[in-house]
Amino acid sequence: MRPPAGIAATALRTATASLCVVAALGVTACDTVFAQQQDPAPFARLSGPEVVNKALAATRAAKSVRIAVGTKSPDGAPVQTYVATDIRGECTVTLSMGAAGTMELVRTGGTVYTQSDEAMLRAAGAGRSRTTVDTEVKNLTGRWVKARPSDRYTAEALSYCDRKVFLDRLAGNSATAHKGRAATVGSTPVLSLTGTAGRGTWTAAIAAEGRPHILKLSFSTGTPVTVEFSEFDQPFTVKRPAV
């Protein structure tokens, strides 16, 4: 007589665990078995690199997305960036660099506009005469202007408009992906993955419901950075600032 399915499944898990205890050379294989048992259904039959490639395709294809980035400046100050962007290249950015100040950026119709606070204007004016910088602070603080391509803070803020910067970095290290445990980001079930990047590591959380978007991504290589993706395919419009 065949045992009930539940008993058979329990017996299989027990037998597998016993084999893992006695097989000293089978640790990696056993870890894989238990990880697969906890995989969310959409990923149960996929390898780590296959999950990453599927997630990259879904995240690249999103018509719009919001991105939150946390990292540090070269001098160790916290940097927070909030981005809304779409596949047409329309984009808004709020870049906060601690003592260096805050900049807002809008790119629409191929033209880039910025608005900075006093601290950011003074940081951007480093190396120029105090009189020139004081005049800019007086005239430009809190005002929208067409961006100067030569301004390094504008260039940094603008770089966040392209999700490709982060996704390509993950793609270049996707072959190192290992599947972890099921978890949640907010209320969304996810599969956690880890891998190596240079001398550091990366981690990712991939949505296990709906489209397999990347919801969270972090790198420890070089300057640590954490990226959160949300509001995929939500309606998004950008208004040209009055200048």
Side-chain angles (χ1 to χ4, degrees), residues 124-208:
R128 290 185 291 162
S129 72
R130 180 170 181 175
T131 300
T132 298
V133 174
D134 285 346
T135 300
E136 288 192 350
V137 167
K138 180 179 179 180
N139 294 333
L140 300 180
T141 298
R143 290 185 54 190
W144 285 102
V145 297
K146 285 189 177 181
R148 288 195 300 255
S150 59
D151 178 40
R152 65 187 181 95
Y153 293 111
T154 296
E156 180 169 351
L158 194 57
S159 70
Y160 290 105
C161 283
D162 193 348
R163 71 193 89 168
K164 184 175 184 291
V165 172
F166 307 109
L167 301 183
D168 282 359
R169 188 174 178 185
L170 176 60
N173 295 283
S174 63
T176 69
H178 293 282
K179 295 160 74 175
R181 295 182 176 274
T184 58
V185 171
S187 59
T188 303
V190 299
L191 175 66
S192 300
L193 294 102
T194 60
T196 57
R199 296 182 179 180
T201 60
W202 61 263
T203 63
I206 312 300

Side-chain angles (χ1 to χ4, degrees), residues 47-61:
S47 68
E50 288 173 334
V51 174
V52 172
N53 291 334
K54 189 174 183 178
L56 285 167
T59 308
R60 286 173 174 143

